[in-house]
Amino acid sequence: MEANPPKTGKFSLNYGLILGGLGVIFGLMLFMSDAHTSQSPVNSIISILMSIGVIFWGILNFRKANEGFLSIGEALKLGAGIALIAGIVSVLYVIILSNVLDPDFPSKVMDARLADVAGDFTPEQLQQQKEMGLKFWWFGYPVILIVNIIIGLIIGLVGGLIFKKVQPDY
């Protein structure tokens, strides 16, 4: 009698919630240190390292639960699924951040982004750019999800290539 193989969805949900929770903790840490509007690449690097760690952890635990076997397709599903769940948690956090914790967050982010190009535009043009950016602020939410899934697919592919172990046909 053959045991039921583990489901990638269950692992994606569990590890996606772990990754999303770590992201929220990191985001709250940045918020409390008033660095949540920083455009520092260090913040992105830390987030990507957390993603790599949790997705690899999920892939390895799935392989362990699957009698030591893992296909690249399963690793891709796990990477994308974990990243999708973490992305949903991230979007919920950004919604709470921008509507409850720091209602000026969108404006602060637009100011930080426009500060880099301030010399190229007149103050009126900068104000128009800011107003347009604030009008389409919501567009960032699906972008967060899409970017998370793409990163999850890449990490899942790398994890699948590293941890792959094909089940014999016999």
Side-chain angles (χ1 to χ4, degrees):
M1 190 164 130
E2 211 171 285
N4 289 335
K7 304 284 185 206
T8 57
K10 176 185 170 196
F11 280 82
S12 294
L13 178 64
N14 291 340
Y15 289 93
L17 290 173
I18 290 169
L19 181 56
L22 287 173
V24 168
I25 290 169
F26 183 61
L28 287 172
M29 182 192 74
L30 290 174
F31 173 72
M32 288 180 192
S33 63
D34 201 30
H36 62 293
T37 58
S38 169
Q39 303 293 316
S40 171
V42 174
N43 296 345
S44 298
I45 292 169
I46 290 170
S47 295
I48 289 173
L49 289 176
M50 284 191 307
S51 296
I52 291 169
V54 173
I55 290 173
F56 277 14
W57 183 30
I59 289 171
L60 281 171
N61 281 334
F62 177 85
R63 186 175 99 166
K64 188 186 304 182
N66 197 27
E67 301 174 4
F69 300 110
L70 175 76
S71 71
I72 292 178
E74 289 167 332
L76 284 169
K77 285 182 197 175
L78 287 164
I82 292 169
L84 173 64
I85 299 299
I88 291 169
V89 172
S90 296
V91 166
L92 293 174
Y93 169 71
V94 171
I95 289 170
I96 291 170
L97 175 67
S98 59
N99 290 307
V100 178
L101 298 175
D102 187 4
D104 292 332
F105 176 68
S107 182
K108 290 176 185 176
V109 169
M110 292 304 303
D111 287 340
R113 288 184 182 160
L114 291 174
D116 295 337
V117 296
D120 299 338
F121 296 99
T122 66
E124 295 81 24
Q125 290 173 322
L126 286 173
Q127 186 60 32
Q128 283 180 328
Q129 291 287 329
K130 181 178 178 179
E131 289 171 6
M132 189 63 71
L134 292 174
K135 186 184 290 188
F136 290 103
W137 177 258
W138 63 269
F139 191 71
Y141 302 138
V143 169
I144 290 171
L145 293 177
I146 292 168
V147 168
N148 263 18
I149 292 170
I150 291 170
I151 290 171
L153 282 169
I154 293 168
I155 296 170
L157 176 63
V158 171
L161 291 170
I162 293 171
F163 304 121
K164 177 179 91 166
K165 185 173 179 191
V166 180
Q167 194 166 11
D169 291 334
Y170 54 91

